[in-house]
């Protein structure tokens, strides 16, 4: 057997089932606290043959759900007849028919229970899928159809597909086929190439994971197999620090106690180590080969919905895309209106409907097909710039469709622990009721602990269990008030015993369980010891007890050992462990002192859970509030001494409750609660979670930028309020309104009225009160909260976090951003318009589910102020300029058709139309993605500039109409100027007007640019050079009408002085007034950033 075999039993097949996209992480085996195995089996070895290895107890209680029982959407009032068909009934009929055909061709497999024989995949009664990861969206056959469907489901691309197909109809043909098919083909080629690259990268990642080698145990010994070749029923050996490749049942480990620690960081974002126990009968087998001789099988219930189910991702659509989509519809309406006007001016002569369609084709450039591909390429460039920014290292753009959303945010909702704080706990305070110890008085505690054990002579080796602790010497004295030293000793000992922490010694990593030395020979030196636990709070507490002299040196399933300041090792037998749950908010442990046989029940937990089960006191509530105001996380520690008879009675009732078939959880909880009465209050601890670097200036920057910050946390009200103040989430000059707890509609009504009378104050509200207010006064609460400069929601569940984000989006219509670092923040991140995940100690799940992944919270400032600003400004300028490029040429076409008695004759055709949107103007226009209005340093130094972005003034119907007027003016000047100045050379009107058009576009790009980049200059001259060079060999396209008309370009004519000055004059008239207007606007009404940029 391998040295370390950490496995985790889940409700699936035996060795491998459906492979997940996220794995478990395995740690080395180690002793642990949980004595209860998850598999209830017979103990007699005589019954090993043909014995079914039953699944976990939870597996047989949740049979009411399966993969198909998903909630259905609420059905609205049914429409009938024609109304139903027009309003969407036809879609319903089509989808129903498609679903019926799919079900006929590919019936869904019925999920049922499975019997899997250990080590015998060939005995499987049904065929199971391969154990391989497949994150690819398409396969060889569905790639092209899938990509085409994703493109043509958008109106813009579908419209151009129809226009291009119309050119196959002779009566509608107005130019060369490649005039329409070349731009459409280019857009599709870019899209297909991008999807192919993404698919190939996904394939490579899958192949890397699927090719990982694992040891498979067979009758003939160990063999190496790929992860994808693992079959249901195989026996797999997993080494230390190796990823678990599939759903597995934990059969055996090299640790004699049958325990190991696993980590589920890539599944649920939790980096804590979880203790798991092997199946008892297989753990007791003498050798590995006996796994084949017992002929055992696993009976697994049908697959269930649980937290280990894989969840998919989705692609978001940014606000700018929606705004451009609205403008595109407006352009389409203008296209139809213009075509109808032209046909009307014709007097509906002849086949007017054919002429109408031809005009629709002639003016189709009003809607630019290159708009989407330019924006997509621009967003890819923004993402690359973000990831290459040296000031925010480690930043990853996971959703490339919404970088400009970073420049439109109004609400930022953030988690506290691990996001604003470091999630590194430090013990700060110990309170005993009458005396309190802080960071500067910890040496006094060390002195008290040392004096408590001073009476006991240190035992060499530490394996003598008969030593008596010093407190027994005081047992014969009358019962008087305990001394401070005794109370400190009791508190420190309770903290050192009541936990789920396990010490691990790296120096023993290669020693197998069978050859481990006696505990007396173990190396208990501090430099070799590390702690593993499910909570950083517990590790902080155990490290503190070590610092004051009482050290946890060893732990397994049944015992733990403490080393005193004098080197003596005290052994305690672990009788029961009651783990911490979010419902109980406390954990407990029952231990027996091996030296005195005393049985003690220790418990620690949150003050709300402990205040009702400890003996009466007058200081706990007040001191909890005081510590919380200091920003400390508090835990109440208590104990209860048990006699042997009391414990035996409890163990009997507890075991009987665990074997109950019905209401097992309730019965077990009731038995445990019978112990939780009149506990002796020992102490109150305070642990600090320090703020991350530069959290204060970052939050202050965001607040000055006009972003309202909401903190949603699961911590208690006092702690959340303290962190809000210390992090400057709430400024020092602002008042704080603490929403009183409410439980009814009347109380909520009164409290909301009291809150309404407050002005410019931050709101602090608990999750319970929030739930009541949202139930009765949802609109009123959100309206009042949105007026606050900051909001703190404490005791918030993950569902409530996501609900608050959704409410803000619905009620305000503003853009929201959620920032988190743990698995409990995923729902909030996905509910927001923009999600930012921080790679922290709670794992990577939040960062993987987010649109942007960062390493520190302080990077949010630069991400929004600099990259958000640039992405939004650049995308707005790029989108509007691409539309201007189509509008101006459509205006020239309209003027040209009017001169020719409204004939549907194309002005430009062939390569001219293709080249106009590509090599002639593409590079200068796309160079706008390098433009910036202010320098990054100025954007960070003056975050107030961000406020203008949230108003959406860079892209609005106002700016759109301005660009429409500019396009109409320039298009009219170019066409009329060409007709007026070149009346004698009318056959050259195409070359004349097109030359002026290209020059105008290049000058307009220069007019739009605010900060020049050397690549912009290169793009301008490169495009101009390409056009001049093309005049020599594209002369056949510079005629009026079709080539058959005989109109060709006169190369000698375009080199004459009259041609050059007349073209220059037309270009100057079309551009100079715009330059003058821009200069006057900057002088009379300068933008907010102009003074900074100057």
């Amino acid at each position: 057997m391998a040295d370390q075999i950490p496995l985790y039993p889940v409700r699936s097949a035996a060795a491998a089932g459906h492979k997940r996209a996220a794995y478990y992480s395995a740690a080395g085996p180690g002793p642990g606290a949980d004595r209860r195995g998850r598999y209830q089996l017979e103990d007699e070895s005589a019954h090993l043959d043909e014995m079914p290895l039953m699944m976990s107890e939870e597996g047989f209680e949740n049979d009411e759900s399966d993969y198909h029982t998903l909630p259905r959407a609420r059905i609205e009032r049914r429409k009938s007849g024609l109304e139903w068909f027009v309003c969407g009934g036809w879609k319903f009929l089509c989808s129903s028919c498609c679903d019926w055909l799919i079900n006929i061709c590919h019936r869904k497999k019925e999920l049922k229970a499975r019997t899997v024989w250990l080590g015998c995949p060939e005995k499987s009664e049904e065929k199971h899928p391969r154990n391989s990861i497949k994150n690819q969206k398409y396969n060889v056959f569905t790639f092209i159809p899938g990509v085409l469907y994703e493109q043509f489901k958008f109106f813009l691309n579908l419209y151009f597909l129809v226009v291009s197909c119309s050119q196959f109809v002779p009566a509608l043909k107005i130019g060369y086929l490649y005039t329409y098919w070349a731009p459409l083909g280019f857009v599709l080629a870019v899209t297909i190439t991008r999807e192919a690259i993404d698919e190939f990268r996904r394939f490579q990642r899958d192949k890397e994971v699927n090719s990982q080698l694992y040891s498979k145990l067979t009758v003939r010994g160990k063999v190496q197999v790929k992860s994808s070749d693992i079959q249901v029923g195989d026996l797999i050996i997993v080494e230390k620090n190796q990823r678990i490749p599939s759903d597995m049942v934990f059969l055996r480990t090299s640790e004699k106690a049958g325990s190991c620690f696993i980590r589920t960081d890539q599944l649920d974002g939790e980096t804590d180590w979880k203790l798991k126990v092997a199946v008892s009968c297989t753990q007791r087998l003498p050798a590995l080969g006996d796994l084949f001789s017992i002929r055992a099988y696993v009976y697994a219930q049908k697959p269930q919905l649980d937290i280990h189910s894989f969840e998919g991702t989705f692609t978001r659509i940014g606000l700018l895309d929606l705004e451009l989509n609205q403008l595109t519809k407006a352009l389409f309406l203008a296209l139809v209106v213009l075509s109808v006007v032209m046909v009307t001016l014709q007097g509906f002569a002849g086949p007017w409907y054919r002429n109408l369609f031809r005009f629709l084709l002639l003016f189709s450039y009003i809607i630019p097909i290159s708009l989407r591909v330019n924006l997509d390429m621009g967003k890819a460039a923004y993402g690359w710039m973000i990831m290459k920014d040296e000031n925010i290292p480690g930043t990853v753009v996971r959703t490339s469709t919404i970088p400009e959303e970073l420049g439109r945010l109004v609400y930022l909702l953030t988690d506290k622990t691990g996001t604003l704080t470091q999630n590194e706990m430090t013990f700060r305070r110990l309170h005993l009721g009458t005396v309190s110890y802080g960071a500067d008085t910890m040496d006094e505690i060390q002195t008290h602990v040392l004096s408590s054990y001073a009476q006991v002579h240190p035992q060499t080796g530490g394996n003598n269990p008969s030593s008596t602790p010093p407190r027994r010497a005081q047992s014969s004295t009358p019962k008087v008030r305990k001394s401070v030293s005794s109370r400190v000793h009791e508190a420190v000992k309770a903290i050192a015993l009541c936990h789920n922490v396990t010490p691990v010694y790296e120096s023993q990593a290669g020693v197998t369980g069978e050859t481990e030395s006696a505990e007396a020979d173990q190396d208990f030196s501090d430099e070799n010891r590390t702690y593993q636990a499910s909570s950083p709070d517990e590790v902080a507490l155990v490290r503190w007890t070590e610092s004051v002299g009482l050290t946890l040196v060893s732990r397994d399933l049944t015992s733990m050992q403490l080393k005193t300041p004098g080197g003596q090792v005290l052994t305690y037998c672990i009788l029961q462990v009651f783990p911490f749950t979010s419902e109980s908010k406390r954990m407990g442990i029952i231990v027996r002192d091996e030296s005195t046989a005393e049985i003690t029940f220790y418990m620690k937990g949150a003050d709300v859970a402990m205040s009702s089960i400890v003996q009466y006191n007058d200081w706990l509530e007040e001191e909890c509030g005081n510590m919380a105001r200091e920003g400390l996380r508090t835990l109440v520690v208590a104990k209860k001494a048990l006699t042997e008879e009391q414990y035996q009675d409890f163990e009997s009732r507890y075991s009987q409750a665990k074997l109950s078939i019905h209401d097992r959880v309730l019965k077990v909880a009731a038995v445990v609660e019978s112990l939780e009465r009149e506990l002796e209050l020992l102490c109150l601890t305070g642990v600090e979670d320090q703020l991350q670097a530069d959290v204060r200036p970052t939050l202050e920057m965001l607040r000055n930028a006009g972003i309202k910050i909401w903190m949603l946390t699961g911590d208690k009200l006092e702690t959340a309020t303290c962190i809000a103040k210390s992090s400057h989430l709430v400024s020092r000059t602002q008042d704080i309104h603490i929403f009183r707890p409410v439980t009814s509609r009347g109380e909520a009504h009164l409290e909301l009225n009291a809150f309404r009378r407050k002005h410019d104050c931050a709101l602090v509200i608990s999750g319970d009160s929030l739930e009541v207010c949202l139930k009765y006064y949802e609109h009123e609460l959100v309206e009042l909260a949105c007026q606050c400069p900051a909001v703190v929601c404490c005791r918030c569940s993950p569902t409530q976090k996501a609900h608050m984000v959704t409410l803000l989006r619905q009620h305000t219509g503003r853009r929201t951003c959620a920032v988190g670092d743990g698995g409990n923040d995923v729902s909030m991140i996905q509910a927001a318009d923009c999600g930012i995940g921080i790679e922290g100690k709670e794992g990577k799940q939040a960062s993987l589910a987010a649109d942007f992944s960062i390493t520190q919270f302080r990077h949010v400032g630069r991400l929004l102020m600099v990259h958000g600003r640039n992405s939004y400004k650049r995308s707005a300028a790029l989108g509007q300029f691409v539309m201007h490029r189509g509008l101006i040429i459509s205006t020239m076409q309209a003027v040209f058709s009017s001169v020719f008695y409204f004939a549907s004759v194309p002005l430009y055709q062939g390569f001219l139309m293709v080249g106009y949107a590509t090599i002639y103007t593409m590079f200068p226009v796309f160079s706008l993605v390098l433009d910036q209005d202010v320098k990054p340093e100025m954007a960070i130094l003056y975050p107030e500039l961000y406020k203008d972005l949230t108003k959406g003034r860079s892209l609005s119907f106002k700016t759109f109409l301005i660009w429409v007027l500019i396009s109409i003016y320039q298009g009219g000047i170019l066409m009329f100027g060409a007709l007026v100045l070149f009346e004698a050379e009318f056959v050259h009107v195409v070359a004349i007007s097109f030359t002026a058009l290209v020059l105008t576009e290049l000058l307009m790009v220069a007019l739009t640019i605010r900060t020049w980049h050397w690549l912009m200059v290169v793009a301008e001259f490169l495009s101009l050079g390409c056009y001049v060079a093309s005049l020599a060999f594209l002369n056949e396209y510079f005629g009026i009408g079709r080539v058959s008309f005989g109109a060709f370009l006169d190369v000698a004519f375009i080199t004459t002085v009259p041609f050059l000055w007349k073209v220059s004059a037309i270009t100057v008239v079309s551009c100079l007034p715009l330059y003058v207007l821009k200069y006057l606007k900057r002088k009379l009404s300068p933008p907010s950033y102009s003074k900074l940029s100057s």
Side-chain angles (χ1 to χ4, degrees):
M1 195 63 177
D3 291 342
Q4 320 289 348
I5 301 186
L7 302 177
Y8 177 48
V10 294
R11 296 190 286 274
S12 79
H18 298 281
K19 191 168 182 183
R20 314 235 183 249
Y23 301 147
Y24 295 105
S25 175
D34 193 347
R35 302 178 64 241
R36 296 164 294 161
R38 299 186 62 182
Y39 295 82
Q40 306 300 325
L41 299 171
E42 297 286 344
D43 289 335
E44 292 78 15
S45 58
H47 293 267
L48 286 177
D49 291 345
E50 301 291 341
M51 178 181 295
L53 302 181
M54 303 302 292
M55 299 306 295
S56 60
E57 298 168 351
E58 302 95 313
F60 296 94
E61 297 174 358
N62 301 323
D63 57 353
E64 68 278 7
S65 61
D66 58 275
Y67 288 116
H68 303 302
T69 56
L70 301 176
R72 296 187 178 275
R74 186 179 303 168
I75 300 177
E76 299 180 354
R77 178 185 64 86
R78 288 188 177 273
K79 299 179 175 66
S80 59
L82 183 61
E83 180 188 7
W84 172 83
F85 184 81
V86 173
C87 294
W90 62 276
K91 292 184 179 179
F92 174 76
L93 289 177
C94 293
S95 62
S96 299
C97 293
C98 293
D99 291 342
W100 179 78
L101 289 174
I102 292 174
N103 288 332
I104 291 297
C105 300
H106 181 69
R107 294 185 180 274
K108 293 183 178 179
K109 185 178 180 180
E110 180 183 359
L111 300 175
K112 57 184 180 181
R114 294 148 291 168
T115 299
V116 182
W117 290 85
L118 267 63
C120 302
E122 64 277 2
K123 289 188 177 182
S124 179
E125 299 176 354
E126 57 180 313
K127 184 178 180 181
H128 297 283
R130 295 180 68 238
N131 184 54
S132 61
I133 283 181
K134 187 176 185 299
N135 287 314
Q136 297 166 255
K137 295 168 60 178
Y138 315 101
N139 57 35
V140 177
F141 303 102
T142 62
F143 176 73
I144 296 298
V147 173
L148 293 180
Y149 169 75
E150 290 295 327
Q151 288 301 305
F152 292 125
K153 71 179 182 181
F154 291 103
F155 168 77
L156 182 65
N157 293 339
L158 182 61
Y159 166 75
F160 272 99
L161 178 64
V162 173
V163 169
S164 300
C165 291
S166 68
Q167 295 304 289
F168 290 108
V169 180
L172 302 178
K173 187 175 182 180
I174 60 174
Y176 297 101
L177 287 178
Y178 65 81
T179 304
Y180 293 91
W181 282 100
L184 183 61
F186 175 74
V187 172
L188 294 179
V190 171
T191 303
I192 292 175
T193 302
R194 184 186 62 189
E195 285 291 336
I197 293 174
D198 290 343
E199 275 293 282
F200 182 71
R201 288 174 177 171
R202 284 190 285 266
F203 168 76
Q204 285 183 317
R205 288 196 296 266
D206 293 346
K207 183 179 179 181
E208 179 182 355
V209 175
N210 293 330
S211 299
Q212 291 181 354
L213 296 178
Y214 288 86
S215 297
K216 174 182 174 181
L217 187 64
T218 65
V219 178
R220 293 178 298 274
K222 299 179 185 178
V223 295
Q224 293 290 315
V225 295
K226 292 183 178 179
S227 174
S228 57
D229 294 334
I230 295 176
Q231 300 179 10
V232 173
D234 282 344
L235 297 178
I236 303 299
I237 300 174
V238 183
E239 307 287 348
K240 180 181 178 180
N241 294 327
Q242 190 176 25
R243 291 284 177 189
I244 295 180
S246 62
D247 295 345
M248 289 187 166
V249 174
F250 185 11
L251 298 179
R252 182 180 172 86
T253 179
S254 58
E255 170 65 35
K256 288 190 296 184
S259 63
C260 81
F261 285 90
I262 64 138
R263 190 167 66 188
T264 58
D265 55 339
Q266 292 199 16
L267 183 65
D268 55 14
E270 298 181 2
T271 57
D272 56 288
W273 296 96
K274 298 176 176 62
L275 177 68
K276 299 301 172 186
V277 183
V279 179
S280 58
C281 69
T282 53
Q283 176 66 28
R284 293 196 304 267
L285 293 175
L288 282 176
D290 295 333
L291 287 172
F292 296 96
S293 63
I294 62 174
R295 292 189 298 168
Y297 64 89
V298 171
Y299 176 79
Q301 196 182 18
K302 68 178 181 180
Q304 301 291 316
L305 286 174
D306 57 16
I307 64 171
H308 302 290
S309 298
F310 176 76
E311 294 184 2
T313 59
F314 58 94
T315 303
R316 306 184 186 210
I317 299 177
L319 178 62
L320 185 127
D321 291 313
L322 299 176
E323 292 172 341
L324 287 174
N325 190 48
Q326 296 295 330
L327 298 181
T328 302
K329 294 178 181 178
L331 290 175
F332 177 73
L333 180 61
L335 167 64
V336 174
V337 170
L338 181 59
S339 301
V340 171
V341 169
M342 299 299 287
V343 173
T344 303
L345 294 176
Q346 276 185 334
F348 293 97
W352 63 268
Y353 51 86
R354 188 183 68 181
N355 292 334
L356 174 63
F357 200 89
R358 287 177 62 87
F359 277 122
L360 288 174
L361 296 175
L362 286 174
F363 301 141
S364 62
Y365 282 90
I366 288 180
I367 304 176
I369 189 174
S370 59
L371 176 60
R372 181 168 294 278
V373 70
N374 272 278
L375 288 176
D376 288 345
M377 292 171 63
K379 292 175 181 180
Y382 307 147
W384 182 83
M385 294 176 188
I386 292 174
M387 290 189 287
K388 292 297 181 180
D389 191 344
E390 296 180 354
N391 294 288
I392 48 175
T395 302
V396 179
V397 179
R398 302 192 186 279
T399 304
S400 61
T401 57
I402 58 169
E404 67 281 347
E405 291 291 280
L406 296 171
R408 307 289 298 277
L409 301 177
V410 178
Y411 293 96
L412 186 139
L413 301 95
T414 176
D415 180 38
K416 183 184 75 67
T417 305
T419 303
L420 299 180
T421 59
Q422 297 180 12
N423 203 13
E424 290 183 357
M425 307 303 172
T426 306
F427 192 96
R428 291 298 185 190
R429 191 172 297 279
L430 178 72
H431 204 291
L432 303 178
T434 57
V435 61
S436 176
Y437 297 95
D440 53 344
T441 56
M442 290 298 175
D443 55 337
E444 297 182 19
I445 298 180
Q446 190 171 4
T447 303
H448 287 308
V449 173
L450 184 62
S451 64
S452 298
Y453 289 101
Q455 303 176 27
V456 181
H457 183 72
Q459 302 294 324
T460 59
N463 58 348
N464 186 358
S466 62
S467 57
T468 304
R471 198 169 62 87
R472 298 292 295 171
Q474 303 173 0
S475 60
S476 59
T477 61
K479 291 186 177 181
V480 294
R481 186 179 183 89
K482 294 181 179 179
S483 65
V484 173
S485 181
S486 174
R487 293 167 60 196
V488 169
H489 167 251
E490 285 292 333
V492 173
K493 186 172 70 170
I495 296 173
L497 290 173
C498 187
H499 53 73
N500 268 318
V501 181
T502 300
V504 176
Y505 297 90
E506 295 300 327
S507 60
Q508 299 178 6
V511 182
T512 61
E514 288 74 17
T515 61
E516 285 182 355
S517 60
E519 291 171 349
D521 299 329
Q522 290 185 8
D523 182 11
F524 288 159
S525 59
D526 296 340
E527 60 271 13
N528 292 326
R529 187 189 310 113
T530 58
Y531 294 111
Q532 291 181 344
S534 59
S535 169
D537 297 66
E538 290 203 314
V539 174
L541 293 174
V542 173
R543 283 178 178 167
W544 174 78
T545 63
E546 178 184 355
S547 69
V548 296
L550 197 57
T551 306
L552 175 68
V553 293
S554 176
R555 179 174 184 156
D556 55 28
L557 289 176
T558 59
S559 66
M560 72 172 75
Q561 293 180 317
L562 302 180
K563 186 172 67 173
T564 65
Q568 176 192 11
V569 176
L570 307 177
T571 303
Y572 294 86
C573 178
I574 301 174
L575 303 179
Q576 297 288 346
V577 175
F578 313 108
F580 177 90
T581 64
S582 57
E583 291 79 17
S584 67
K585 294 183 174 62
R586 57 185 180 270
M587 72 84 58
I589 187 172
I590 301 178
V591 297
R592 176 189 282 118
D593 190 337
E594 292 291 341
S595 61
T596 64
E598 286 184 344
I599 300 176
T600 309
F601 170 45
Y602 291 104
M603 176 161 280
K604 69 179 180 183
D607 58 304
V608 291
M610 298 290 292
S611 58
S612 61
I613 63 178
V614 298
Q615 296 173 353
Y616 172 77
N617 62 87
D618 57 357
W619 60 271
L620 179 60
E621 182 178 357
E622 179 182 358
E623 293 303 327
C624 283
N626 292 338
M627 287 193 185
R629 281 185 284 274
E630 296 179 28
L632 303 180
R633 299 158 67 100
T634 58
L635 279 176
V636 179
V637 183
K639 76 168 187 175
K640 185 177 186 179
L642 301 177
T643 64
E644 186 68 31
E645 294 75 16
Q646 287 175 326
Y647 174 71
Q648 294 300 332
D649 174 65
F650 166 79
E651 186 180 36
S652 174
R653 293 184 290 115
Y654 188 66
S655 300
Q656 186 175 1
K658 288 197 298 181
L659 295 176
S660 177
I661 298 177
H662 302 289
D663 300 327
R664 178 185 299 131
V665 176
L666 295 177
K667 292 179 180 179
V668 169
V671 174
V672 175
E673 287 176 4
S674 66
L675 277 183
E676 299 171 347
R677 296 172 185 170
E678 292 298 310
L679 270 66
E680 177 187 351
L681 177 58
L682 296 178
C683 64
L684 176 67
T685 65
V687 177
E688 181 186 22
D689 190 1
Q690 297 180 342
L691 290 176
Q692 286 195 15
D694 296 332
V695 164
R696 294 185 180 93
T698 300
L699 290 177
E700 191 170 355
M701 177 197 302
L702 297 175
R703 192 169 59 249
N704 292 336
I707 299 175
K708 296 182 178 180
I709 306 170
W710 291 30
M711 185 172 75
L712 311 180
T713 176
D715 269 352
K716 61 189 304 181
L717 186 143
E718 292 82 3
T719 305
T721 305
C722 178
I723 293 296
K725 291 180 179 178
S726 63
S727 65
H728 292 181
L729 174 67
V730 179
S731 65
R732 300 184 182 275
T733 59
Q734 287 175 348
D735 294 330
I736 296 180
H737 177 81
I738 298 180
F739 205 90
R740 292 188 302 176
V742 296
T743 57
S744 63
R745 181 171 185 170
E747 293 177 353
H749 182 83
L750 294 175
E751 188 61 22
L752 283 172
N753 282 337
F755 177 47
R756 190 184 298 273
R757 291 188 287 268
K758 300 291 183 69
H759 298 285
D760 192 32
C761 66
L763 172 65
V764 179
I765 186 172
S766 65
D768 295 336
S769 301
L770 180 67
E771 198 70 29
V772 174
C773 292
L774 291 179
K775 182 178 180 181
Y776 299 108
Y777 300 103
E778 177 182 292
H779 179 75
E780 290 79 5
L781 176 65
V782 176
E783 181 183 6
L784 291 174
C786 289
Q787 298 174 4
C788 299
V791 176
V792 177
C793 297
C794 56
R795 299 296 192 192
C796 247
S797 66
T799 304
Q800 285 179 322
K801 291 182 179 182
H803 191 197
M804 290 307 300
V805 175
T806 305
L807 287 178
L808 276 179
R809 296 179 61 189
Q810 293 176 347
H811 284 267
T812 66
R814 299 299 186 93
R815 312 312 283 175
T816 60
C817 175
V819 186
D821 71 315
N824 59 335
D825 301 318
V826 170
S827 56
M828 173 179 70
I829 287 174
Q830 292 185 337
D833 297 295
C834 177
I836 300 178
I838 299 178
E839 292 189 13
K841 289 184 170 54
E842 295 186 29
K844 294 185 178 181
Q845 188 177 9
S847 94
L848 292 175
D851 303 304
F852 303 90
S853 173
I854 59 179
T855 57
Q856 299 182 50
F857 182 82
R858 64 189 179 95
H859 293 167
V860 172
R862 186 175 181 87
L863 195 62
L864 270 59
M865 299 300 110
V866 177
H867 295 287
R869 177 183 190 85
N870 290 339
S871 298
Y872 171 57
K873 286 274 191 178
R874 292 165 176 171
S875 291
L878 181 62
Q880 293 180 121
F881 203 95
V882 171
M883 287 188 287
H884 159 75
R885 190 171 61 185
L887 281 168
I888 189 173
I889 199 169
S890 298
T891 302
M892 296 176 69
Q893 177 65 57
V895 174
F896 178 78
S897 297
S898 301
V899 171
F900 279 87
Y901 305 100
F902 310 106
S904 54
V905 177
L907 172 61
Y908 307 122
Q909 57 183 337
F911 186 80
L912 291 185
M913 294 305 296
V914 177
Y916 172 68
T918 53
I919 63 172
Y920 295 155
T921 61
M922 180 181 70
F923 298 113
V925 171
F926 189 71
S927 67
L928 291 174
V929 301
L930 302 173
D931 191 22
Q932 62 181 24
D933 52 357
V934 295
K935 294 181 179 179
E937 297 78 12
M938 291 294 102
I940 294 177
L941 186 60
Y942 298 97
E944 292 80 6
L945 296 173
Y946 190 87
K947 295 180 180 179
D948 292 336
L949 304 181
T950 60
K951 300 174 183 178
R953 294 176 177 173
S954 297
L955 179 64
S956 62
F957 271 103
K958 177 182 177 181
T959 59
F960 171 69
L961 290 176
I962 291 176
W963 277 103
V964 169
L965 294 177
I966 291 174
S967 303
I968 294 175
Y969 166 75
Q970 290 185 325
I973 290 295
L974 293 176
M975 198 65 242
F976 279 116
L979 295 175
V980 171
L981 295 179
F982 294 92
E983 186 175 355
E985 301 88 6
F986 192 69
V987 293
H988 302 307
V989 70
V990 172
I992 297 163
S993 60
F994 194 81
T995 303
L997 173 63
V998 172
L999 293 176
T1000 298
E1001 284 297 295
L1002 297 180
L1003 290 175
M1004 285 300 296
V1005 171
L1007 175 65
T1008 306
I1009 291 174
R1010 288 161 292 209
T1011 304
W1012 282 89
H1013 190 279
W1014 67 270
L1015 286 176
M1016 297 176 174
V1017 180
V1018 172
E1020 290 272 342
F1021 284 101
L1022 178 63
S1023 298
L1024 182 60
C1026 290
Y1027 176 69
V1028 173
S1030 66
L1031 290 176
F1033 58 87
L1034 294 179
N1035 58 341
E1036 64 177 276
Y1037 297 108
F1038 290 101
I1040 302 175
R1042 301 192 180 279
V1043 179
S1044 57
F1045 290 173
F1048 294 96
L1049 177 67
D1050 186 354
V1051 179
F1053 170 73
I1054 64 174
T1055 59
T1056 61
V1057 174
F1059 173 83
L1060 296 177
W1061 80 258
K1062 289 181 180 180
V1063 169
S1064 301
I1066 296 174
T1067 305
V1068 168
V1069 172
S1070 67
C1071 295
L1072 183 60
L1074 299 179
Y1075 273 87
V1076 173
L1077 291 175
K1078 179 181 179 180
Y1079 175 80
L1080 293 176
K1081 182 179 179 181
R1082 289 184 64 91
K1083 285 294 183 182
L1084 301 178
S1085 179
S1088 57
Y1089 61 83
S1090 60
K1091 296 180 181 179
L1092 301 179
S1093 60
S1094 62

